[in-house]
Amino acid sequence: MCNQKEPFCYTAQLYTLFQQSIDHYLRTESLPKIRKRPSGLYLVRELVSQWDDHCLISRWMCNFFEYLNRYYVRRDSKLSLKQVCTASFKTHIFVPLHT
């Protein structure tokens, strides 16, 4: 799927879907759990818990899509999958809570 010649090479779509799946998980699973907590210590604990879950999911997803990281990301100068995961957490969780 990733090492085919055009028009059968789907690495760009796979990279986009990877990013979209991480974003979807954060918006639909993590953010609602964090937002339902009252501010203060309970909010911080939930944020840490969601960060730990996100790190676990990110690690498994990055391992599963390692081929993308090794070839597509380097060849097309994209963000690594780990950087995509971290940036998504910042964009969808940290920034909305911080403002």
Side-chain angles (χ1 to χ4, degrees), residues 55-99:
C55 288
L56 178 68
I57 290 168
S58 297
R59 186 173 69 232
W60 279 100
M61 293 277 288
C62 289
N63 286 341
F64 189 76
F65 291 101
E66 183 61 32
Y67 187 85
L68 273 177
N69 235 4
R70 280 188 274 151
Y71 296 102
Y72 176 71
V73 168
R74 287 185 185 167
R75 185 183 68 215
D76 288 8
S77 299
K78 300 282 188 181
L79 290 176
S80 73
L81 299 180
K82 185 172 178 143
Q83 289 172 323
V84 167
C85 293
T86 304
S88 292
F89 190 87
K90 180 181 178 187
T91 302
H92 295 292
I93 304 295
F94 185 74
V95 170
L97 290 177
H98 192 263
T99 56

Side-chain angles (χ1 to χ4, degrees), residues 38-56:
S39 62
L41 186 59
Y42 295 112
L43 176 70
V44 173
R45 284 184 181 164
E46 186 63 36
L47 182 62
V48 169
S49 173
Q50 291 304 315
W51 172 251
D52 289 341
D53 291 348
H54 176 71
C55 288
L56 178 68

Side-chain angles (χ1 to χ4, degrees), residues 1-2 6 9-18 68 72 75-76 78:
M1 186 191 246
C2 292
E6 290 294 334
C9 183
Y10 297 105
T11 52
Q13 293 92 332
L14 199 57
Y15 183 82
T16 302
L17 286 172
F18 176 88
L68 273 177
Y72 176 71
R75 185 183 68 215
D76 288 8
K78 300 282 188 181

